[in-house]
Amino acid sequence: MKDTWQTLKDWIDGSSNIVFFGGAGVSTESGIPDFRSTDGLFHQKYDYPPEVIVSHSFFEARPKEFFRFLRDRMIFPDAQPNAAHKALAKLEEQGKLKAVITQNIDGLHQLAGSKNVLELHGSMLRHYCLRCGKRYGLDFIANSEGLPLCECGGVVRPDVVLYEEGLSSRILNDSVRAIEEADVLIVGGTSLVVYPAAGLIDYYRGNKLVLINRDATSRDARANLVIHDPIGEVLGTVVGA
């Protein structure tokens, strides 16, 4: 085992108050691409960058194009938890991990068995009618065409935080509290460039801040331990999931 992995294992073994904060890189090993990544297919099909399409103003102005992108790029019904998700669920079951804070909207942490999941950006598994508030599941959107309409005639939108929309103050406060109280903070699969989420690590008061990411981040110098390896391989090996 690599020295950095062994250090992480030692810190996990010696802690009973671990918090994990993760981004899109946690789910790429489950076959869910980072929607910011570009490919030929994307450029052939869309005239706008993804950050524009998943904004509140674009949703209001061009809802049909919004839902076309949603069905094409943000719904992965067959995706399954990978070793990272399973390792975190195992740590929670052992009483070591107190919270998972995620920027992802795929629900894979819960599918793996995690209970205390703080979803900063909501979830694609939940949808609701803008007119009457009726709740719908992912299948309703996936199997609809054009504008998904409630039985009352209202538009059904995903329960996710779009660009230009604010994060839940309750989720943010719970995340800050968990990070402040953590002995070990593991940050994984995120480039730490999207705010206000990226600023959450500034609330950590301990001396065991771990960054696990494929590429270097602007916060590497702030960390006590930096690992540039696949997060599923790292956590799966260290935790034994």
PDB file of all heavy atoms in Angstrom, residues 20-29 32 34 36 84 88 101-104 109 186-194 210-215 217 227-232 234-235:
ATOM      1  N   PHE A  20     -17.135  13.327   4.938  1.00  0.00           N
ATOM      2  CA  PHE A  20     -16.710  13.265   3.543  1.00  0.00           C
ATOM      3  C   PHE A  20     -17.429  14.327   2.743  1.00  0.00           C
ATOM      4  O   PHE A  20     -18.649  14.500   2.858  1.00  0.00           O
ATOM      5  CB  PHE A  20     -17.004  11.896   2.942  1.00  0.00           C
ATOM      6  CG  PHE A  20     -16.622  11.792   1.486  1.00  0.00           C
ATOM      7  CD1 PHE A  20     -15.310  11.525   1.127  1.00  0.00           C
ATOM      8  CD2 PHE A  20     -17.562  11.975   0.485  1.00  0.00           C
ATOM      9  CE1 PHE A  20     -14.941  11.453  -0.220  1.00  0.00           C
ATOM     10  CE2 PHE A  20     -17.209  11.906  -0.850  1.00  0.00           C
ATOM     11  CZ  PHE A  20     -15.895  11.640  -1.211  1.00  0.00           C
ATOM     12  N   PHE A  21     -16.664  15.050   1.923  1.00  0.00           N
ATOM     13  CA  PHE A  21     -17.228  16.067   1.031  1.00  0.00           C
ATOM     14  C   PHE A  21     -16.804  15.731  -0.385  1.00  0.00           C
ATOM     15  O   PHE A  21     -15.605  15.701  -0.692  1.00  0.00           O
ATOM     16  CB  PHE A  21     -16.727  17.449   1.440  1.00  0.00           C
ATOM     17  CG  PHE A  21     -17.094  18.553   0.478  1.00  0.00           C
ATOM     18  CD1 PHE A  21     -18.352  18.620  -0.081  1.00  0.00           C
ATOM     19  CD2 PHE A  21     -16.169  19.535   0.143  1.00  0.00           C
ATOM     20  CE1 PHE A  21     -18.700  19.630  -0.963  1.00  0.00           C
ATOM     21  CE2 PHE A  21     -16.495  20.560  -0.733  1.00  0.00           C
ATOM     22  CZ  PHE A  21     -17.766  20.606  -1.287  1.00  0.00           C
ATOM     23  N   GLY A  22     -17.769  15.428  -1.267  1.00  0.00           N
ATOM     24  CA  GLY A  22     -17.416  14.944  -2.593  1.00  0.00           C
ATOM     25  C   GLY A  22     -18.104  15.654  -3.731  1.00  0.00           C
ATOM     26  O   GLY A  22     -19.139  16.319  -3.563  1.00  0.00           O
ATOM     27  N   GLY A  23     -17.511  15.483  -4.923  1.00  0.00           N
ATOM     28  CA  GLY A  23     -18.056  16.068  -6.136  1.00  0.00           C
ATOM     29  C   GLY A  23     -18.211  15.048  -7.235  1.00  0.00           C
ATOM     30  O   GLY A  23     -18.259  13.831  -6.991  1.00  0.00           O
ATOM     31  N   ALA A  24     -18.246  15.525  -8.470  1.00  0.00           N
ATOM     32  CA  ALA A  24     -18.571  14.684  -9.618  1.00  0.00           C
ATOM     33  C   ALA A  24     -17.619  13.511  -9.793  1.00  0.00           C
ATOM     34  O   ALA A  24     -18.010  12.446 -10.277  1.00  0.00           O
ATOM     35  CB  ALA A  24     -18.582  15.534 -10.893  1.00  0.00           C
ATOM     36  N   GLY A  25     -16.351  13.682  -9.386  1.00  0.00           N
ATOM     37  CA  GLY A  25     -15.378  12.616  -9.543  1.00  0.00           C
ATOM     38  C   GLY A  25     -15.700  11.361  -8.765  1.00  0.00           C
ATOM     39  O   GLY A  25     -15.180  10.281  -9.065  1.00  0.00           O
ATOM     40  N   VAL A  26     -16.569  11.472  -7.771  1.00  0.00           N
ATOM     41  CA  VAL A  26     -16.971  10.287  -7.003  1.00  0.00           C
ATOM     42  C   VAL A  26     -17.840   9.371  -7.859  1.00  0.00           C
ATOM     43  O   VAL A  26     -17.805   8.150  -7.708  1.00  0.00           O
ATOM     44  CB  VAL A  26     -17.730  10.706  -5.718  1.00  0.00           C
ATOM     45  CG1 VAL A  26     -18.194   9.475  -4.949  1.00  0.00           C
ATOM     46  CG2 VAL A  26     -16.854  11.581  -4.839  1.00  0.00           C
ATOM     47  N   SER A  27     -18.600   9.952  -8.766  1.00  0.00           N
ATOM     48  CA  SER A  27     -19.545   9.155  -9.554  1.00  0.00           C
ATOM     49  C   SER A  27     -19.056   8.799 -10.952  1.00  0.00           C
ATOM     50  O   SER A  27     -19.704   8.001 -11.633  1.00  0.00           O
ATOM     51  CB  SER A  27     -20.884   9.901  -9.666  1.00  0.00           C
ATOM     52  OG  SER A  27     -21.524   9.965  -8.411  1.00  0.00           O
ATOM     53  N   THR A  28     -17.943   9.372 -11.387  1.00  0.00           N
ATOM     54  CA  THR A  28     -17.469   9.044 -12.737  1.00  0.00           C
ATOM     55  C   THR A  28     -17.105   7.567 -12.854  1.00  0.00           C
ATOM     56  O   THR A  28     -17.233   6.973 -13.922  1.00  0.00           O
ATOM     57  CB  THR A  28     -16.256   9.910 -13.120  1.00  0.00           C
ATOM     58  OG1 THR A  28     -15.249   9.804 -12.109  1.00  0.00           O
ATOM     59  CG2 THR A  28     -16.654  11.361 -13.285  1.00  0.00           C
ATOM     60  N   GLU A  29     -16.666   6.969 -11.734  1.00  0.00           N
ATOM     61  CA  GLU A  29     -16.333   5.540 -11.764  1.00  0.00           C
ATOM     62  C   GLU A  29     -17.583   4.665 -11.826  1.00  0.00           C
ATOM     63  O   GLU A  29     -17.487   3.448 -11.977  1.00  0.00           O
ATOM     64  CB  GLU A  29     -15.470   5.182 -10.554  1.00  0.00           C
ATOM     65  CG  GLU A  29     -14.092   5.831 -10.592  1.00  0.00           C
ATOM     66  CD  GLU A  29     -13.265   5.549  -9.355  1.00  0.00           C
ATOM     67  OE1 GLU A  29     -13.161   4.381  -8.950  1.00  0.00           O
ATOM     68  OE2 GLU A  29     -12.714   6.519  -8.793  1.00  0.00           O
ATOM     69  N   ILE A  32     -21.030   7.863 -14.681  1.00  0.00           N
ATOM     70  CA  ILE A  32     -21.719   9.144 -14.806  1.00  0.00           C
ATOM     71  C   ILE A  32     -20.682  10.217 -15.094  1.00  0.00           C
ATOM     72  O   ILE A  32     -19.863  10.542 -14.227  1.00  0.00           O
ATOM     73  CB  ILE A  32     -22.493   9.494 -13.517  1.00  0.00           C
ATOM     74  CG1 ILE A  32     -23.560   8.432 -13.239  1.00  0.00           C
ATOM     75  CG2 ILE A  32     -23.125  10.879 -13.636  1.00  0.00           C
ATOM     76  CD1 ILE A  32     -24.376   8.686 -11.993  1.00  0.00           C
ATOM     77  N   ASP A  34     -18.847  13.837 -15.725  1.00  0.00           N
ATOM     78  CA  ASP A  34     -18.964  15.204 -15.262  1.00  0.00           C
ATOM     79  C   ASP A  34     -19.631  15.984 -16.389  1.00  0.00           C
ATOM     80  O   ASP A  34     -19.122  16.032 -17.492  1.00  0.00           O
ATOM     81  CB  ASP A  34     -17.562  15.762 -14.974  1.00  0.00           C
ATOM     82  CG  ASP A  34     -17.590  17.195 -14.490  1.00  0.00           C
ATOM     83  OD1 ASP A  34     -18.654  17.837 -14.601  1.00  0.00           O
ATOM     84  OD2 ASP A  34     -16.553  17.674 -14.020  1.00  0.00           O
ATOM     85  N   ARG A  36     -19.768  18.894 -17.109  1.00  0.00           N
ATOM     86  CA  ARG A  36     -18.984  19.987 -17.674  1.00  0.00           C
ATOM     87  C   ARG A  36     -17.999  19.492 -18.726  1.00  0.00           C
ATOM     88  O   ARG A  36     -17.497  20.265 -19.521  1.00  0.00           O
ATOM     89  CB  ARG A  36     -18.209  20.719 -16.580  1.00  0.00           C
ATOM     90  CG  ARG A  36     -19.091  21.504 -15.653  1.00  0.00           C
ATOM     91  CD  ARG A  36     -18.269  22.268 -14.621  1.00  0.00           C
ATOM     92  NE  ARG A  36     -19.144  22.841 -13.634  1.00  0.00           N
ATOM     93  CZ  ARG A  36     -19.624  22.186 -12.594  1.00  0.00           C
ATOM     94  NH1 ARG A  36     -19.287  20.939 -12.407  1.00  0.00           N
ATOM     95  NH2 ARG A  36     -20.437  22.762 -11.741  1.00  0.00           N
ATOM     96  N   ALA A  84     -16.116   3.667  -3.941  1.00  0.00           N
ATOM     97  CA  ALA A  84     -16.076   4.838  -3.065  1.00  0.00           C
ATOM     98  C   ALA A  84     -17.381   4.977  -2.285  1.00  0.00           C
ATOM     99  O   ALA A  84     -17.377   5.181  -1.061  1.00  0.00           O
ATOM    100  CB  ALA A  84     -15.800   6.101  -3.877  1.00  0.00           C
ATOM    101  N   LEU A  88     -17.751   4.477   1.903  1.00  0.00           N
ATOM    102  CA  LEU A  88     -18.306   5.514   2.782  1.00  0.00           C
ATOM    103  C   LEU A  88     -19.509   4.990   3.560  1.00  0.00           C
ATOM    104  O   LEU A  88     -19.670   5.289   4.752  1.00  0.00           O
ATOM    105  CB  LEU A  88     -18.693   6.732   1.946  1.00  0.00           C
ATOM    106  CG  LEU A  88     -17.518   7.470   1.295  1.00  0.00           C
ATOM    107  CD1 LEU A  88     -18.019   8.480   0.273  1.00  0.00           C
ATOM    108  CD2 LEU A  88     -16.657   8.157   2.348  1.00  0.00           C
ATOM    109  N   ILE A 101     -21.314  14.893   2.542  1.00  0.00           N
ATOM    110  CA  ILE A 101     -21.758  16.133   1.913  1.00  0.00           C
ATOM    111  C   ILE A 101     -21.434  16.002   0.434  1.00  0.00           C
ATOM    112  O   ILE A 101     -20.280  15.789   0.065  1.00  0.00           O
ATOM    113  CB  ILE A 101     -21.030  17.349   2.515  1.00  0.00           C
ATOM    114  CG1 ILE A 101     -21.240  17.397   4.034  1.00  0.00           C
ATOM    115  CG2 ILE A 101     -21.500  18.644   1.862  1.00  0.00           C
ATOM    116  CD1 ILE A 101     -20.318  18.363   4.756  1.00  0.00           C
ATOM    117  N   THR A 102     -22.448  16.097  -0.414  1.00  0.00           N
ATOM    118  CA  THR A 102     -22.204  15.841  -1.833  1.00  0.00           C
ATOM    119  C   THR A 102     -22.735  16.948  -2.722  1.00  0.00           C
ATOM    120  O   THR A 102     -23.791  17.536  -2.454  1.00  0.00           O
ATOM    121  CB  THR A 102     -22.813  14.494  -2.266  1.00  0.00           C
ATOM    122  OG1 THR A 102     -22.533  14.267  -3.651  1.00  0.00           O
ATOM    123  CG2 THR A 102     -24.321  14.468  -2.059  1.00  0.00           C
ATOM    124  N   GLN A 103     -21.987  17.212  -3.790  1.00  0.00           N
ATOM    125  CA  GLN A 103     -22.441  18.115  -4.838  1.00  0.00           C
ATOM    126  C   GLN A 103     -23.182  17.351  -5.929  1.00  0.00           C
ATOM    127  O   GLN A 103     -23.746  17.971  -6.836  1.00  0.00           O
ATOM    128  CB  GLN A 103     -21.235  18.839  -5.454  1.00  0.00           C
ATOM    129  CG  GLN A 103     -20.506  19.754  -4.485  1.00  0.00           C
ATOM    130  CD  GLN A 103     -19.209  20.292  -5.069  1.00  0.00           C
ATOM    131  OE1 GLN A 103     -18.205  19.593  -5.130  1.00  0.00           O
ATOM    132  NE2 GLN A 103     -19.240  21.525  -5.529  1.00  0.00           N
ATOM    133  N   ASN A 104     -23.190  16.029  -5.837  1.00  0.00           N
ATOM    134  CA  ASN A 104     -23.810  15.198  -6.865  1.00  0.00           C
ATOM    135  C   ASN A 104     -25.315  15.107  -6.665  1.00  0.00           C
ATOM    136  O   ASN A 104     -25.829  15.249  -5.548  1.00  0.00           O
ATOM    137  CB  ASN A 104     -23.183  13.811  -6.873  1.00  0.00           C
ATOM    138  CG  ASN A 104     -21.716  13.855  -7.266  1.00  0.00           C
ATOM    139  OD1 ASN A 104     -21.268  14.797  -7.916  1.00  0.00           O
ATOM    140  ND2 ASN A 104     -20.963  12.850  -6.856  1.00  0.00           N
ATOM    141  N   HIS A 109     -25.048   7.678  -3.250  1.00  0.00           N
ATOM    142  CA  HIS A 109     -24.631   7.479  -1.847  1.00  0.00           C
ATOM    143  C   HIS A 109     -25.728   6.756  -1.068  1.00  0.00           C
ATOM    144  O   HIS A 109     -25.458   5.817  -0.318  1.00  0.00           O
ATOM    145  CB  HIS A 109     -24.309   8.821  -1.192  1.00  0.00           C
ATOM    146  CG  HIS A 109     -23.011   9.422  -1.613  1.00  0.00           C
ATOM    147  ND1 HIS A 109     -21.792   8.832  -1.296  1.00  0.00           N
ATOM    148  CD2 HIS A 109     -22.721  10.541  -2.320  1.00  0.00           C
ATOM    149  CE1 HIS A 109     -20.811   9.580  -1.791  1.00  0.00           C
ATOM    150  NE2 HIS A 109     -21.345  10.606  -2.409  1.00  0.00           N
ATOM    151  N   ILE A 186     -12.415  14.334   4.664  1.00  0.00           N
ATOM    152  CA  ILE A 186     -11.953  13.767   3.397  1.00  0.00           C
ATOM    153  C   ILE A 186     -12.708  14.455   2.269  1.00  0.00           C
ATOM    154  O   ILE A 186     -13.944  14.405   2.210  1.00  0.00           O
ATOM    155  CB  ILE A 186     -12.189  12.248   3.340  1.00  0.00           C
ATOM    156  CG1 ILE A 186     -11.493  11.544   4.514  1.00  0.00           C
ATOM    157  CG2 ILE A 186     -11.689  11.693   2.002  1.00  0.00           C
ATOM    158  CD1 ILE A 186     -11.810  10.057   4.601  1.00  0.00           C
ATOM    159  N   VAL A 187     -11.983  15.108   1.396  1.00  0.00           N
ATOM    160  CA  VAL A 187     -12.571  15.791   0.247  1.00  0.00           C
ATOM    161  C   VAL A 187     -12.168  15.019  -1.004  1.00  0.00           C
ATOM    162  O   VAL A 187     -10.971  14.809  -1.245  1.00  0.00           O
ATOM    163  CB  VAL A 187     -12.077  17.247   0.153  1.00  0.00           C
ATOM    164  CG1 VAL A 187     -12.701  17.950  -1.051  1.00  0.00           C
ATOM    165  CG2 VAL A 187     -12.411  18.005   1.442  1.00  0.00           C
ATOM    166  N   GLY A 188     -13.140  14.580  -1.792  1.00  0.00           N
ATOM    167  CA  GLY A 188     -12.799  13.730  -2.928  1.00  0.00           C
ATOM    168  C   GLY A 188     -13.605  13.999  -4.173  1.00  0.00           C
ATOM    169  O   GLY A 188     -14.788  14.350  -4.114  1.00  0.00           O
ATOM    170  N   GLY A 189     -12.950  13.854  -5.325  1.00  0.00           N
ATOM    171  CA  GLY A 189     -13.644  13.935  -6.593  1.00  0.00           C
ATOM    172  C   GLY A 189     -14.185  15.311  -6.927  1.00  0.00           C
ATOM    173  O   GLY A 189     -15.188  15.423  -7.636  1.00  0.00           O
ATOM    174  N   THR A 190     -13.537  16.345  -6.437  1.00  0.00           N
ATOM    175  CA  THR A 190     -13.980  17.701  -6.744  1.00  0.00           C
ATOM    176  C   THR A 190     -12.777  18.604  -6.965  1.00  0.00           C
ATOM    177  O   THR A 190     -11.754  18.479  -6.278  1.00  0.00           O
ATOM    178  CB  THR A 190     -14.858  18.277  -5.620  1.00  0.00           C
ATOM    179  OG1 THR A 190     -15.160  19.650  -5.900  1.00  0.00           O
ATOM    180  CG2 THR A 190     -14.173  18.184  -4.261  1.00  0.00           C
ATOM    181  N   SER A 191     -12.916  19.492  -7.932  1.00  0.00           N
ATOM    182  CA  SER A 191     -11.832  20.427  -8.238  1.00  0.00           C
ATOM    183  C   SER A 191     -11.868  21.650  -7.330  1.00  0.00           C
ATOM    184  O   SER A 191     -10.976  22.496  -7.389  1.00  0.00           O
ATOM    185  CB  SER A 191     -11.923  20.867  -9.705  1.00  0.00           C
ATOM    186  OG  SER A 191     -13.204  21.427  -9.974  1.00  0.00           O
ATOM    187  N   LEU A 192     -12.914  21.737  -6.506  1.00  0.00           N
ATOM    188  CA  LEU A 192     -13.061  22.838  -5.542  1.00  0.00           C
ATOM    189  C   LEU A 192     -13.043  24.202  -6.228  1.00  0.00           C
ATOM    190  O   LEU A 192     -12.368  25.131  -5.798  1.00  0.00           O
ATOM    191  CB  LEU A 192     -11.958  22.758  -4.479  1.00  0.00           C
ATOM    192  CG  LEU A 192     -12.030  21.538  -3.550  1.00  0.00           C
ATOM    193  CD1 LEU A 192     -10.799  21.462  -2.653  1.00  0.00           C
ATOM    194  CD2 LEU A 192     -13.303  21.594  -2.707  1.00  0.00           C
ATOM    195  N   VAL A 193     -13.830  24.314  -7.290  1.00  0.00           N
ATOM    196  CA  VAL A 193     -13.925  25.596  -7.992  1.00  0.00           C
ATOM    197  C   VAL A 193     -15.344  26.163  -7.977  1.00  0.00           C
ATOM    198  O   VAL A 193     -15.546  27.319  -8.319  1.00  0.00           O
ATOM    199  CB  VAL A 193     -13.441  25.482  -9.457  1.00  0.00           C
ATOM    200  CG1 VAL A 193     -11.968  25.116  -9.510  1.00  0.00           C
ATOM    201  CG2 VAL A 193     -14.278  24.473 -10.235  1.00  0.00           C
ATOM    202  N   VAL A 194     -16.337  25.354  -7.592  1.00  0.00           N
ATOM    203  CA  VAL A 194     -17.719  25.811  -7.579  1.00  0.00           C
ATOM    204  C   VAL A 194     -18.082  26.321  -6.184  1.00  0.00           C
ATOM    205  O   VAL A 194     -18.051  25.570  -5.212  1.00  0.00           O
ATOM    206  CB  VAL A 194     -18.687  24.677  -7.997  1.00  0.00           C
ATOM    207  CG1 VAL A 194     -20.131  25.158  -7.924  1.00  0.00           C
ATOM    208  CG2 VAL A 194     -18.362  24.200  -9.404  1.00  0.00           C
ATOM    209  N   VAL A 210      -7.868  15.765   4.068  1.00  0.00           N
ATOM    210  CA  VAL A 210      -7.408  14.877   2.999  1.00  0.00           C
ATOM    211  C   VAL A 210      -8.069  15.282   1.689  1.00  0.00           C
ATOM    212  O   VAL A 210      -9.296  15.399   1.615  1.00  0.00           O
ATOM    213  CB  VAL A 210      -7.765  13.406   3.316  1.00  0.00           C
ATOM    214  CG1 VAL A 210      -7.197  12.485   2.244  1.00  0.00           C
ATOM    215  CG2 VAL A 210      -7.290  13.015   4.699  1.00  0.00           C
ATOM    216  N   LEU A 211      -7.266  15.486   0.650  1.00  0.00           N
ATOM    217  CA  LEU A 211      -7.793  15.764  -0.682  1.00  0.00           C
ATOM    218  C   LEU A 211      -7.458  14.597  -1.598  1.00  0.00           C
ATOM    219  O   LEU A 211      -6.288  14.285  -1.812  1.00  0.00           O
ATOM    220  CB  LEU A 211      -7.199  17.053  -1.254  1.00  0.00           C
ATOM    221  CG  LEU A 211      -7.552  18.373  -0.574  1.00  0.00           C
ATOM    222  CD1 LEU A 211      -7.021  19.547  -1.398  1.00  0.00           C
ATOM    223  CD2 LEU A 211      -9.049  18.512  -0.374  1.00  0.00           C
ATOM    224  N   ILE A 212      -8.511  13.956  -2.129  1.00  0.00           N
ATOM    225  CA  ILE A 212      -8.330  12.861  -3.083  1.00  0.00           C
ATOM    226  C   ILE A 212      -8.951  13.300  -4.401  1.00  0.00           C
ATOM    227  O   ILE A 212     -10.171  13.444  -4.506  1.00  0.00           O
ATOM    228  CB  ILE A 212      -9.016  11.565  -2.595  1.00  0.00           C
ATOM    229  CG1 ILE A 212      -8.581  11.204  -1.174  1.00  0.00           C
ATOM    230  CG2 ILE A 212      -8.706  10.415  -3.551  1.00  0.00           C
ATOM    231  CD1 ILE A 212      -9.351  10.029  -0.583  1.00  0.00           C
ATOM    232  N   ASN A 213      -8.129  13.541  -5.383  1.00  0.00           N
ATOM    233  CA  ASN A 213      -8.636  13.995  -6.680  1.00  0.00           C
ATOM    234  C   ASN A 213      -7.642  13.599  -7.761  1.00  0.00           C
ATOM    235  O   ASN A 213      -6.435  13.581  -7.524  1.00  0.00           O
ATOM    236  CB  ASN A 213      -8.840  15.516  -6.687  1.00  0.00           C
ATOM    237  CG  ASN A 213      -9.741  15.967  -7.813  1.00  0.00           C
ATOM    238  OD1 ASN A 213     -10.866  15.477  -7.958  1.00  0.00           O
ATOM    239  ND2 ASN A 213      -9.272  16.895  -8.631  1.00  0.00           N
ATOM    240  N   ARG A 214      -8.161  13.299  -8.929  1.00  0.00           N
ATOM    241  CA  ARG A 214      -7.299  12.878 -10.035  1.00  0.00           C
ATOM    242  C   ARG A 214      -6.283  13.959 -10.394  1.00  0.00           C
ATOM    243  O   ARG A 214      -5.115  13.684 -10.635  1.00  0.00           O
ATOM    244  CB  ARG A 214      -8.164  12.550 -11.250  1.00  0.00           C
ATOM    245  CG  ARG A 214      -7.391  12.069 -12.471  1.00  0.00           C
ATOM    246  CD  ARG A 214      -8.305  12.017 -13.685  1.00  0.00           C
ATOM    247  NE  ARG A 214      -8.845  13.336 -13.986  1.00  0.00           N
ATOM    248  CZ  ARG A 214      -9.788  13.572 -14.897  1.00  0.00           C
ATOM    249  NH1 ARG A 214     -10.313  12.554 -15.557  1.00  0.00           N
ATOM    250  NH2 ARG A 214     -10.212  14.784 -15.134  1.00  0.00           N
ATOM    251  N   ASP A 215      -6.754  15.198 -10.422  1.00  0.00           N
ATOM    252  CA  ASP A 215      -5.898  16.315 -10.793  1.00  0.00           C
ATOM    253  C   ASP A 215      -5.621  17.205  -9.577  1.00  0.00           C
ATOM    254  O   ASP A 215      -6.346  17.162  -8.583  1.00  0.00           O
ATOM    255  CB  ASP A 215      -6.553  17.156 -11.890  1.00  0.00           C
ATOM    256  CG  ASP A 215      -6.886  16.330 -13.125  1.00  0.00           C
ATOM    257  OD1 ASP A 215      -6.010  15.550 -13.559  1.00  0.00           O
ATOM    258  OD2 ASP A 215      -8.014  16.463 -13.635  1.00  0.00           O
ATOM    259  N   THR A 217      -5.572  20.518  -7.309  1.00  0.00           N
ATOM    260  CA  THR A 217      -6.535  21.587  -7.088  1.00  0.00           C
ATOM    261  C   THR A 217      -5.818  22.788  -6.476  1.00  0.00           C
ATOM    262  O   THR A 217      -4.693  22.677  -5.983  1.00  0.00           O
ATOM    263  CB  THR A 217      -7.667  21.153  -6.130  1.00  0.00           C
ATOM    264  OG1 THR A 217      -7.179  21.152  -4.780  1.00  0.00           O
ATOM    265  CG2 THR A 217      -8.169  19.761  -6.483  1.00  0.00           C
ATOM    266  N   ILE A 227      -3.815  13.046  -2.285  1.00  0.00           N
ATOM    267  CA  ILE A 227      -3.716  11.788  -3.014  1.00  0.00           C
ATOM    268  C   ILE A 227      -4.281  11.987  -4.414  1.00  0.00           C
ATOM    269  O   ILE A 227      -5.455  12.323  -4.571  1.00  0.00           O
ATOM    270  CB  ILE A 227      -4.490  10.661  -2.292  1.00  0.00           C
ATOM    271  CG1 ILE A 227      -3.936  10.441  -0.880  1.00  0.00           C
ATOM    272  CG2 ILE A 227      -4.425   9.364  -3.099  1.00  0.00           C
ATOM    273  CD1 ILE A 227      -4.728   9.443  -0.055  1.00  0.00           C
ATOM    274  N   HIS A 228      -3.453  11.767  -5.438  1.00  0.00           N
ATOM    275  CA  HIS A 228      -3.899  11.911  -6.820  1.00  0.00           C
ATOM    276  C   HIS A 228      -4.057  10.532  -7.456  1.00  0.00           C
ATOM    277  O   HIS A 228      -3.322  10.150  -8.368  1.00  0.00           O
ATOM    278  CB  HIS A 228      -2.904  12.763  -7.623  1.00  0.00           C
ATOM    279  CG  HIS A 228      -2.852  14.189  -7.210  1.00  0.00           C
ATOM    280  ND1 HIS A 228      -3.977  14.975  -7.081  1.00  0.00           N
ATOM    281  CD2 HIS A 228      -1.810  14.998  -6.882  1.00  0.00           C
ATOM    282  CE1 HIS A 228      -3.647  16.186  -6.705  1.00  0.00           C
ATOM    283  NE2 HIS A 228      -2.332  16.230  -6.565  1.00  0.00           N
ATOM    284  N   ASP A 229      -5.012   9.789  -6.949  1.00  0.00           N
ATOM    285  CA  ASP A 229      -5.330   8.455  -7.448  1.00  0.00           C
ATOM    286  C   ASP A 229      -6.848   8.327  -7.555  1.00  0.00           C
ATOM    287  O   ASP A 229      -7.586   9.126  -6.958  1.00  0.00           O
ATOM    288  CB  ASP A 229      -4.787   7.374  -6.498  1.00  0.00           C
ATOM    289  CG  ASP A 229      -3.265   7.329  -6.461  1.00  0.00           C
ATOM    290  OD1 ASP A 229      -2.665   7.260  -7.544  1.00  0.00           O
ATOM    291  OD2 ASP A 229      -2.686   7.370  -5.357  1.00  0.00           O
ATOM    292  N   PRO A 230      -7.368   7.337  -8.300  1.00  0.00           N
ATOM    293  CA  PRO A 230      -8.817   7.146  -8.402  1.00  0.00           C
ATOM    294  C   PRO A 230      -9.448   6.944  -7.031  1.00  0.00           C
ATOM    295  O   PRO A 230      -9.010   6.087  -6.256  1.00  0.00           O
ATOM    296  CB  PRO A 230      -8.941   5.885  -9.267  1.00  0.00           C
ATOM    297  CG  PRO A 230      -7.682   5.851 -10.059  1.00  0.00           C
ATOM    298  CD  PRO A 230      -6.619   6.387  -9.145  1.00  0.00           C
ATOM    299  N   ILE A 231     -10.472   7.715  -6.730  1.00  0.00           N
ATOM    300  CA  ILE A 231     -11.028   7.706  -5.383  1.00  0.00           C
ATOM    301  C   ILE A 231     -11.664   6.365  -5.013  1.00  0.00           C
ATOM    302  O   ILE A 231     -11.590   5.932  -3.861  1.00  0.00           O
ATOM    303  CB  ILE A 231     -12.041   8.860  -5.206  1.00  0.00           C
ATOM    304  CG1 ILE A 231     -12.463   8.976  -3.739  1.00  0.00           C
ATOM    305  CG2 ILE A 231     -13.239   8.686  -6.126  1.00  0.00           C
ATOM    306  CD1 ILE A 231     -13.242  10.223  -3.433  1.00  0.00           C
ATOM    307  N   GLY A 232     -12.269   5.685  -5.987  1.00  0.00           N
ATOM    308  CA  GLY A 232     -12.852   4.382  -5.694  1.00  0.00           C
ATOM    309  C   GLY A 232     -11.793   3.370  -5.310  1.00  0.00           C
ATOM    310  O   GLY A 232     -11.969   2.588  -4.366  1.00  0.00           O
ATOM    311  N   VAL A 234      -8.829   4.083  -4.050  1.00  0.00           N
ATOM    312  CA  VAL A 234      -8.255   4.490  -2.770  1.00  0.00           C
ATOM    313  C   VAL A 234      -9.144   4.065  -1.599  1.00  0.00           C
ATOM    314  O   VAL A 234      -8.707   3.349  -0.703  1.00  0.00           O
ATOM    315  CB  VAL A 234      -8.018   6.017  -2.720  1.00  0.00           C
ATOM    316  CG1 VAL A 234      -7.559   6.431  -1.331  1.00  0.00           C
ATOM    317  CG2 VAL A 234      -7.008   6.446  -3.770  1.00  0.00           C
ATOM    318  N   LEU A 235     -10.389   4.519  -1.604  1.00  0.00           N
ATOM    319  CA  LEU A 235     -11.272   4.233  -0.476  1.00  0.00           C
ATOM    320  C   LEU A 235     -11.617   2.752  -0.397  1.00  0.00           C
ATOM    321  O   LEU A 235     -11.740   2.188   0.691  1.00  0.00           O
ATOM    322  CB  LEU A 235     -12.538   5.078  -0.574  1.00  0.00           C
ATOM    323  CG  LEU A 235     -12.347   6.582  -0.378  1.00  0.00           C
ATOM    324  CD1 LEU A 235     -13.685   7.317  -0.478  1.00  0.00           C
ATOM    325  CD2 LEU A 235     -11.694   6.890   0.952  1.00  0.00           C
TER     326      LEU A 235
END
